[in-house]
Amino acid sequence: MTPATTTETDVPTGLEPGGTDQPPDEPAGPVVGTRRERREDPALLTGEARFTDDLQIPGALHLAVVRSPFAHARITRVDVSPALAMPGVVAAFTGEDLQGEWAAPMPCAWPVTEDMKSPPHLPLAVGKTCYAGDGVAVVLAESNEAARDAIDAVDVEYEPLPAVTDLAAAISDEVVIHEDLGTNTSYRWELHLDDDAVERAFADAAHVVRERYIQQRLLPMAMEPRACAAVPQPFGGDITLYSATQIPHILKIMTAVTLGFPEHQLRVVAPSVGGGFGSKLNVYAEELLVTALARKLHQPIRWVEERTENALGTIHGRGQIQDIELAADADGRVTAVRVDLTADMGAYLQLVTPGIPLLGAFLYCGVYDVPAFSFGCTGVFTTMTPTDAYRGAGRPEATYAIERAMDALADEVGVDPAEIRRRNYIGADRFPYTAVTGLVYDSGNYEAAAAKALDLAGYDDLRAEQQRRRAEGGPKHLGIGISSYFEMCGLAPSRVLASLNYSAGGWEAATVRMLPTGKVQVVTGATPHGQGHETSWSMIVADKLGVPPDDVDVLHSDTALSPLGMDTYGSRSLVVGGVAIDMACDRVVDKARRIAAHQLEAAAEDLEFRGGEFSVRGSPDRSVPLAAIAFAAFTAHDLPDGEEPNLEAHVTYDPPNFSWPFGTHVCVVEVDEETGGVEVRKYVAVDDCGNQINPLIVEGQVHGGIVQGLAQALFEGVVYDADGNLVTSNLTDYLVPSAPDVPSLTLDHTVTPSPTNALGVKGIGEAGTIGSTPAVMNAIVDALRPLGVDEVLMPASPLNVWNAIQRAQSRPDPERTTTSATAGDTNADAGGAS
Amino acid sequence: MIPAPFDYARAGSAEEALSLLTEHGEDAKLLAGGHSLLPLMKLRLAQPSVLIDVGRLRDLSYIRDAGDHIAVGALTRHHDLETSDLLETEAPILKHAAGEVGDPQVRHRGTIGGSLAHADPASDLPAVVLALKGTLVARSPSGEREIRADEFFTGFLESALAPDELLTEIRIPKVAGLGWSFQKFNRRAQDWAIVGVAAVVDGERTGVGLVNMGSTPIRAAAVEAAVAGGASAEEAAQRAVDDAEPQADLNASVEYRTHLAKVLVRRALEEARA
């Protein structure tokens, strides 16, 4: 600063030296709420992070799995001897050989009804294979290459049986997959609240829409495929299981139960994990196989999945036929919602397979004030890879159905899709809102988020442009799609889980420990696999304890370091695990306050704690820093009578409610009638997850979530052929979009804190996926309505769009029906080609 | 994703490549950029016993003005094509289309010779070379011969190259100033075209090549004839599949692919004439 340039008119901008701007490493105010870069990223970006397959494990044998090429077949003979003759091969086992290793079948932790049918599911099939990719035998060799070469040599004789890849065919029981069950129907789950009210509403309705939507199967396709390694400890019989998993804690319990292995001798570690999206929220055959074989052979055993194996052997997501009916009054106010689902379980029930559609059961009324609701779901077996949790798990499906149906209702009533929603939103003054289902939505202001999104998108101008262009004609059609979503996340209040027959609780554990030198150690039961928990948790602790975030270490993902935890899924980490950390910090401060009061010879209630320092209210010179208290607690030389040494607190927090984030997404597309091509011109998302700990991480979650939902709408879809072969088994045929394929996203937010927890936070990990898919599909259908199109199958590939236009234009009756032309066909995305 | 076992030999010169080819015969495969062959090997759809690596034959990587044509060395990478000033002037459709192949990694490894010799009907450059009416130069121990592009593609992933021949050069007629268009319609930027159309419009010498419209890269001779006969783009486009055998796959039914070819041929001719 040269004085000569300073004039009286200079106004401080806060940016000059000595102003209010702080060096980025030492923020003056709270850290929470700042866009702090993730501390995890340098290791991930430089390749220093160690994933399961990177681990150096001396002497480990490599496991490879012989997988059934048939969807449904009897296994008449398995001969591993040709494989044993191959170079480097050490051992090989059939399903029968290993039958004695299993104390229980593979776990399904969610028996949704008392009479749910679940076939015994063993890590290797015995007698029969029920999907293409089902494991039949394993080979152990000195290298992965040798093991992979040898599986081709295992001689398996199959007697093929008919595949069941169609849900209607499955329900017909024409071919029963699990003969002992006598049926392909696993369960029927119904929610009856007031059936008479629903009947009355439909009888009295001025408008009724009946829609059928197909949720195609999706592959979760985490960037890191699955991998695991079981390492026996030198003596004592303990085993450490390393796995690319979201759930080391649950995996430990389930592995112990399935193998009849003492739980206290098992340690499970999740090293760096490259994404999961629900696909690593499971207990897989390979995890059980490596552990059982490590125990049997007293040797480390490891396995890493290939990409095509990932498509075949890792769970799939979605897979539903949704029938939804709305009753509405003359103004389009919804008076009842009736939903019936057929859900594709795949060949077996994995960890939470049957419960996934039911996680959406309570969301089919959407963000609307609906007085009557009924819901039913039939879970059926098919000869395809088991389904299970995939980002959003039941909630994207529900949101899709109600948001697509609201557009159909707008069309039926003859009002704008934005207007039909305004007429039905639950008002901001109604929160906490008790829904017809009995669930209480914590907080919300749906209309405000919608108004902001429509404004950002320039909605009125877009509608005017659309009207103008429709009058002009031309092959390109402008479409505008709205999706107002909410969701229930932060799984979950344990008592609510109990009412849904879920076999575990929904709490999370946290420990906060001051070390003698003033540093902080945090132990969390959450298990990050890309979310940035270390960064977020350190920010929460930094503000609570008045320490720099870099002084906070976060320990996780190892059952030896963090023995208690319920892991990471269902957008639960922050709203359950993060809140537990916040509470543990409070307890640390409470104890420190007692010690500080003792040292300062003041009453504890007269102390204030600010910026990492206790001081006597009114006498700021009488103060002591928290770090000094931590050291005093460590030496224990002079503690108050009865006070235990050390400064740490452990909290297990069971949330009283779910958290209910919400928002509105607006998608603008150009659809080329001639090619069927869809181009996303604009995408606006206004999300509300309450208070944000780190807006940078929130935006990352929203970006990724939207892209994954947009991928379901435009690109991704599992295709099986009629024989039950997975056609989309690699990344050439299964179209995961990359950066050039997705539009630039315009993000904004509103902030409506959750009143349920002290941080005022809601989950955001799945919201983008939940909100986006219907926005995109509503936009496409909106573009094509003038051509008579009212349904396009997902993914809206050029082929599916073109087929929808052809169907609409060849329809003899100008009066349009509201149901899709492909009822009963879950693999309809293959269109005319297979 | 682990290929079956194979032997590997690196050729230090075209002559050495030829003698290795003669030595190993039909069990051998030439490896250039590897972006078509290696994925097939990893899926074990191709299991050659010997790979002869010609990727380092730098003297076969060039783009030269050869008087009445442009000479392109077979080992010229797509990236070199897409950044060539000479092609910008003399054959801009080749420069442009090379920039549409796969993604940047593919374009930095893949070669024009590899792409043509692989003879994949879904690849972009074969259709472009067909539209340009290029000539391919093959060398064998017994000498060199020229093969017209429209006689080069003989079957699915099969070319007119004999087992002992090495593709060394592609000769592209100069088309400076002529109207052209390359229409590539795909679902993701990195994907092969569902249908692609390369067109160089020059009255009776018009050339039109089709991507992914049969078991080989296709020369749309009927469209060329219609244009030569003065047909409009719309009329000529109706002949789009006369020389093709569209197949169904995950991305297209036969009906849709047929329709799309007509739309894209029309658009290509319109753009080339604009």
Side-chain angles (χ1 to χ4, degrees):
Chain A
M1 276 287 154
T2 48
T5 64
T6 307
T7 70
E8 289 172 2
T9 57
D10 274 357
V11 175
T13 63
L15 296 175
E16 48 276 271
T20 55
D21 193 43
Q22 297 291 324
D25 289 344
E26 293 166 36
V31 190
V32 166
T34 62
R35 303 172 64 86
R36 193 175 176 81
E37 288 184 5
R38 305 196 323 167
R39 62 161 67 169
E40 291 87 346
D41 288 341
L44 292 169
L45 294 172
T46 57
E48 282 187 16
R50 284 285 170 268
F51 296 83
T52 300
D53 195 49
D54 296 325
L55 300 175
Q56 302 286 327
I57 305 174
L61 294 177
H62 295 256
L63 177 127
V65 181
V66 179
R67 296 182 187 277
S68 168
F70 295 102
H72 191 196
R74 274 183 225 298
I75 304 166
T76 52
R77 196 174 70 93
V78 186
D79 181 6
V80 297
S81 56
L84 289 170
M86 301 270 293
V89 173
V90 174
F93 301 96
T94 68
E96 239 164 76
D97 295 338
L98 296 182
Q99 243 178 317
E101 304 297 319
W102 321 123
M106 286 174 61
C108 172
W110 203 339
V112 294
T113 60
E114 297 296 321
D115 59 351
M116 181 186 85
K117 295 187 170 60
S118 180
H121 182 196
L122 296 180
L124 286 181
V126 175
K128 202 176 164 184
T129 157
C130 294
Y131 68 98
D134 209 353
V136 173
V138 292
V139 171
L140 297 175
E142 285 159 0
S143 71
N144 189 26
E145 290 79 0
R148 294 275 164 189
D149 280 345
I151 55 176
D152 289 344
V154 173
D155 190 9
V156 188
E157 279 181 18
Y158 298 96
E159 187 184 303
L161 297 165
V164 182
T165 59
D166 178 286
L167 295 188
I171 288 181
S172 79
D173 284 337
E174 208 168 293
V175 174
V176 174
I177 301 160
H178 304 289
E179 290 96 338
D180 290 348
L181 302 183
T183 175
N184 292 327
T185 296
S186 174
Y187 69 85
R188 173 72 187 171
W189 191 91
E190 291 178 345
L191 186 63
H192 295 287
L193 302 159
D194 184 347
D195 289 348
D196 291 344
V198 174
E199 293 301 326
R200 269 198 313 277
F202 275 93
D204 297 344
H207 299 284
V208 172
V209 293
R210 297 194 163 84
E211 298 286 309
R212 166 166 284 198
Y213 302 119
I214 310 291
Q215 291 284 334
Q216 80 271 37
R217 277 179 172 244
L218 300 175
L219 303 180
M221 206 57 91
M223 192 178 290
E224 181 208 15
R226 291 188 296 121
C228 53
V231 182
Q233 296 309 297
F235 43 81
D238 288 14
I239 289 180
T240 301
L241 171 61
Y242 299 90
S243 183
T245 182
Q246 297 173 227
I247 53 160
H249 298 92
I250 296 171
L251 179 60
K252 175 168 73 81
I253 299 166
M254 294 301 183
T255 302
V257 170
T258 309
L259 268 57
F261 189 84
E263 187 191 343
H264 62 291
Q265 291 189 275
L266 188 60
R267 170 184 173 197
V268 177
V269 182
S272 281
V273 176
F277 311 114
S279 73
K280 293 171 183 169
L281 157 53
N282 228 305
V283 176
Y284 282 104
E286 295 82 3
E287 292 165 326
L288 301 169
L289 284 163
V290 295
T291 310
L293 290 166
R295 174 169 67 169
K296 190 180 175 77
L297 305 178
H298 309 292
Q299 208 169 345
I301 311 286
R302 69 189 307 165
W303 172 79
V304 63
E305 188 176 58
E306 292 191 340
R307 186 54 69 184
T308 292
E309 270 188 308
N310 179 263
L312 290 166
T314 293
I315 61 98
H316 294 182
R318 315 284 188 261
Q320 293 181 5
I321 299 173
Q322 307 174 287
D323 288 310
I324 180 167
E325 300 167 89
L326 306 187
D329 67 15
D331 295 331
R333 287 192 179 79
V334 179
T335 52
V337 174
R338 186 157 57 197
V339 172
D340 199 274
L341 305 183
T342 309
D344 179 357
M345 305 286 99
Y348 300 100
L349 303 182
Q350 282 276 357
L351 189 63
V352 289
T353 302
I356 297 306
L358 312 185
L359 276 174
F362 304 95
L363 299 191
Y364 278 88
C365 296
V367 289
Y368 310 112
D369 188 18
V370 177
F373 174 58
S374 80
F375 174 92
C377 175
T378 305
V380 297
F381 293 110
T382 58
T383 58
M384 298 186 281
T385 299
T387 60
D388 208 314
Y390 173 56
R391 202 170 189 171
R395 291 155 289 157
E397 296 93 313
T399 305
Y400 184 80
I402 181 64
E403 284 307 290
R404 293 294 319 281
M406 287 304 281
D407 262 33
L409 180 63
D411 188 48
E412 158 76 19
V413 177
V415 300
D416 188 276
E419 175 58 24
I420 200 88
R421 287 175 170 80
R422 274 194 291 269
R423 291 181 189 178
N424 284 285
Y425 287 133
I426 297 163
D429 56 345
R430 306 277 302 278
F431 290 90
Y433 173 87
T434 303
V436 63
T437 53
L439 289 170
V440 178
Y441 307 166
D442 56 356
S443 64
N445 191 346
Y446 304 149
E447 189 162 358
K452 195 168 190 177
L454 294 173
D455 188 47
L456 277 171
Y459 187 73
D460 294 340
D461 291 345
L462 287 165
R463 285 289 176 208
E465 179 190 339
Q466 184 182 51
Q467 215 167 3
R468 191 179 70 242
R469 286 175 48 184
R470 282 178 179 175
E472 288 166 359
K476 282 213 170 182
H477 300 267
L478 174 65
I480 307 143
I482 302 172
S483 158
S484 288
Y485 77 92
F486 78 145
E487 67 130 334
M488 47 181 260
C489 66
L491 306 181
S494 297
R495 286 180 183 181
V496 177
L497 292 177
S499 72
L500 292 170
N501 269 5
Y502 185 67
S503 308
W507 47 263
E508 193 50 87
T511 301
V512 173
R513 182 180 296 137
M514 291 291 300
L515 303 178
T517 55
K519 308 293 185 191
V520 185
Q521 202 170 50
V522 170
V523 183
T524 178
T527 302
H529 40 282
Q531 292 87 349
H533 289 170
E534 292 180 22
T535 301
S536 299
W537 286 196
S538 73
M539 291 168 74
I540 293 171
V541 172
D543 279 3
K544 293 292 282 201
L545 302 184
V547 297
D550 288 343
D551 282 359
V552 182
D553 189 25
V554 180
L555 304 176
H556 57 80
S557 305
D558 178 343
T559 61
L561 293 173
S562 148
L564 289 174
M566 291 302 285
D567 303 315
T568 288
Y569 46 86
S571 303
R572 69 187 306 272
S573 290
L574 177 60
V575 288
V576 190
V579 170
I581 283 162
D582 184 68
M583 294 166 73
C585 287
D586 285 338
R587 291 199 195 165
V588 165
V589 172
D590 284 349
K591 178 171 179 180
R593 184 188 304 275
R594 293 196 299 271
I595 300 170
H598 174 74
Q599 290 195 349
L600 295 171
E601 296 177 340
E605 54 274 19
D606 289 341
L607 297 188
E608 46 181 25
F609 180 63
R610 190 179 295 163
E613 206 166 67
F614 289 98
S615 60
V616 181
R617 206 168 275 118
S619 321
D621 53 319
R622 290 174 63 200
S623 68
V624 57
L626 181 63
I629 303 292
F631 189 72
F634 165 71
T635 63
H637 293 173
D638 181 21
L639 295 179
D641 289 343
E643 200 71 74
E644 288 180 13
N646 286 316
L647 200 47
E648 70 171 1
H650 177 77
V651 166
T652 306
Y653 170 63
D654 198 345
N657 190 358
F658 297 94
S659 81
W660 304 81
F662 62 90
T664 288
H665 292 198
V666 180
C667 179
V668 183
V669 298
E670 299 275 355
V671 184
D672 185 333
E673 170 187 344
E674 289 189 312
T675 61
V678 174
E679 185 199 337
V680 179
R681 183 170 117 180
K682 188 185 280 190
Y683 196 100
V684 174
V686 174
D687 299 285
D688 191 324
C689 59
N691 293 332
Q692 301 187 3
I693 302 300
N694 183 335
L696 191 65
I697 287 179
V698 170
E699 276 175 25
Q701 287 284 4
V702 173
H703 276 134
I706 290 173
V707 171
Q708 241 163 336
L710 184 133
Q712 176 176 15
L714 292 177
F715 296 104
E716 299 184 16
V718 167
V719 178
Y720 279 91
D721 69 15
D723 295 328
N725 299 306
L726 178 63
V727 181
T728 49
S729 62
N730 60 50
L731 289 166
T732 301
D733 294 325
Y734 188 82
L735 305 187
V736 177
S738 60
D741 308 309
V742 295
S744 180
L745 306 172
T746 304
L747 303 191
D748 208 333
H749 57 270
T750 57
V751 177
T752 311
S754 171
T756 303
N757 61 67
L759 293 172
V761 293
K762 302 183 177 189
I764 194 64
E766 297 161 294
T769 311
I770 291 167
S772 56
T773 313
V776 179
M777 294 307 294
N778 277 341
I780 293 168
V781 173
D782 180 64
L784 297 176
R785 271 195 207 280
L787 302 179
V789 172
D790 52 27
E791 179 58 350
V792 175
L793 287 171
M794 294 192 289
S797 63
L799 172 64
N800 280 346
V801 170
W802 186 77
N803 281 339
I805 296 170
Q806 302 312 303
R807 268 202 305 274
Q809 298 195 334
S810 64
R811 208 174 275 164
D813 185 358
E815 203 65 46
R816 307 204 301 270
T817 59
T818 52
T819 51
S820 118
T822 51
D825 182 2
T826 52
N827 306 125
D829 47 311
S834 60
Chain B
M1 296 307 282
I2 298 171
F6 60 89
D7 288 331
Y8 171 87
R10 183 187 296 155
S13 65
E15 289 65 36
E16 190 183 352
L18 289 174
S19 81
L20 284 165
L21 267 181
T22 306
E23 180 187 339
H24 296 288
E26 300 208 6
D27 293 341
K29 271 288 200 186
L30 290 168
L31 176 72
H35 274 57
S36 298
L37 179 58
L38 293 183
L40 291 179
M41 290 174 62
K42 286 182 174 182
L43 293 169
R44 300 200 173 191
L45 295 173
Q47 302 198 3
S49 58
V50 186
L51 279 190
I52 301 168
D53 188 350
V54 294
R56 302 191 187 202
L57 303 186
R58 298 305 301 167
D59 55 340
L60 288 182
S61 173
Y62 54 82
I63 305 168
R64 283 201 285 261
D65 190 329
D68 65 338
H69 67 270
I70 302 298
V72 181
L75 284 159
T76 307
R77 315 241 178 225
H78 303 319
H79 176 74
D80 296 325
L81 300 174
E82 77 174 294
T83 52
S84 161
D85 291 337
L86 186 56
L87 290 181
E88 169 78 47
T89 313
E90 301 296 346
I93 187 174
L94 181 56
K95 172 185 151 92
H96 171 83
E100 300 268 296
V101 173
D103 53 34
Q105 289 93 326
V106 170
R107 296 198 289 273
H108 277 84
R109 292 293 304 163
T111 65
I112 184 171
S115 176
L116 294 172
H118 190 58
D120 188 336
S123 289
D124 298 323
L125 297 189
V128 173
V129 173
L130 280 169
L132 284 165
K133 302 184 190 296
T135 302
L136 292 81
V137 180
R139 198 185 298 172
S140 72
S142 52
E144 216 171 64
R145 66 172 178 135
E146 291 191 1
I147 310 169
R148 284 165 42 145
D150 60 356
E151 291 172 354
F152 185 77
F153 305 105
T154 55
F156 181 66
L157 304 187
E158 286 178 4
S159 74
L161 288 174
D164 65 347
E165 278 184 317
L166 173 69
L167 178 60
T168 54
E169 186 174 285
I170 296 90
R171 294 177 181 162
I172 304 290
K174 292 181 174 178
V175 293
L178 296 186
W180 61 274
S181 175
F182 183 66
Q183 300 282 327
K184 181 173 185 177
F185 189 81
N186 54 13
R187 290 182 65 187
R188 296 177 305 178
Q190 68 187 54
D191 287 330
W192 283 285
I194 299 174
V195 175
V197 177
V200 179
V201 173
D202 184 22
E204 292 190 357
R205 285 176 298 160
T206 292
V208 178
L210 302 178
V211 181
N212 219 356
M213 284 301 291
S215 56
T216 64
I218 303 281
R219 179 183 164 198
V223 175
E224 294 173 359
V227 172
S232 69
E234 177 72 44
E235 290 162 352
Q238 293 311 308
R239 314 293 303 276
V241 294
D242 286 13
D243 299 284
E245 338 138 30
Q247 309 287 314
D249 59 24
L250 278 175
N251 291 315
S253 59
V254 172
E255 298 73 25
Y256 173 65
R257 183 161 265 138
T258 299
H259 164 82
L260 192 57
K262 291 177 181 176
V263 170
L264 297 179
V265 167
R266 192 199 75 221
R267 289 183 181 181
L269 295 176
E270 284 170 354
E271 185 180 73
R273 284 169 166 173

